[in-house]
Amino acid sequence: MTRNEVTELVITQKLLKQLSWAQLAEAIGLSKEWTTAALLGQMTLNATQAATIGAMLDLPEAAVSQLQVVPYKGSLPTAVPTDPLIYRFYELINVYGTTFKALIHEEFGDGIMSAIDFSMDLTREPDPKGDRVKIVMSGKFLPYKTY
């Protein structure tokens, strides 16, 4: 069973069981953001977490094992995403990427924001003109070193 097959099975079983990403996350004691990334094939679960998810979703043992394998990260099917929602993030980086870079370098110096030592929180922000998506990302600053 491949990791992509496991991802498809997770999505199917989640729908059949009428579970939310937040419910699955709560069961393993992690954020809905990290858990969703893991179950979509971007992170690695430990044995206990994988067994819990496997039981909740009635996954075969091969799928439970595959959830514990370090995945190949970055699974978009094309260089420029075609899904409208994901494309908007691509557009956001194209428009504001240089702004993020300039402001981070001005505030912190020459370095990068980690996507490894990282957390994210996605919430709905009610607004009378239409609800808003609020995403807060926090990544450790990693300065470039001289040698």
Side-chain angles (χ1 to χ4, degrees), residues 93-138:
I93 293 302
N94 273 323
V95 173
Y96 291 103
T98 54
T99 302
F100 292 150
K101 179 178 174 55
L103 292 172
I104 288 170
H105 287 179
E106 182 175 270
E107 179 73 23
F108 294 91
D110 189 12
I112 63 170
M113 183 180 91
S114 176
I116 296 170
D117 190 343
F118 177 84
S119 65
M120 174 177 47
D121 183 47
L122 186 145
T123 56
R124 176 186 292 254
E125 194 172 84
D127 188 299
K129 297 178 201 162
D131 289 356
R132 303 180 69 80
V133 178
K134 181 178 180 180
I135 301 172
V136 176
M137 297 183 290
S138 176

Side-chain angles (χ1 to χ4, degrees), residues 2 17 21 35 41 69 73 86 123 128:
T2 68
K17 303 281 185 186
W21 297 116
T35 302
V69 174
K73 297 177 193 270
I86 296 173
T123 56

Side-chain angles (χ1 to χ4, degrees), residues 6-113:
V6 172
T7 298
E8 291 302 318
L9 183 57
V10 164
I11 292 167
T12 299
Q13 290 299 99
K14 176 187 163 294
L15 289 171
L16 287 174
K17 303 281 185 186
Q18 298 182 347
L19 293 168
S20 69
W21 297 116
Q23 288 170 312
L24 294 168
E26 184 178 339
I28 61 171
L30 295 170
S31 73
K32 70 180 182 299
E33 294 80 10
W34 189 92
T35 302
T36 303
L39 296 179
L40 292 177
Q42 298 302 305
M43 305 294 175
T44 310
L45 297 177
N46 66 32
T48 303
Q49 295 161 343
T52 299
I53 295 297
M56 290 180 76
L57 297 177
D58 290 329
L59 299 178
E61 189 54 42
V64 172
S65 294
Q66 195 63 254
L67 291 172
Q68 299 169 67
V69 174
V70 176
Y72 184 86
K73 297 177 193 270
S75 61
L76 294 178
T78 59
V80 176
T82 56
D83 178 86
L85 191 139
I86 296 173
Y87 177 80
R88 291 299 172 248
F89 285 98
Y90 176 80
E91 180 182 42
L92 185 139
I93 293 302
N94 273 323
V95 173
Y96 291 103
T98 54
T99 302
F100 292 150
K101 179 178 174 55
L103 292 172
I104 288 170
H105 287 179
E106 182 175 270
E107 179 73 23
F108 294 91
D110 189 12
I112 63 170
M113 183 180 91

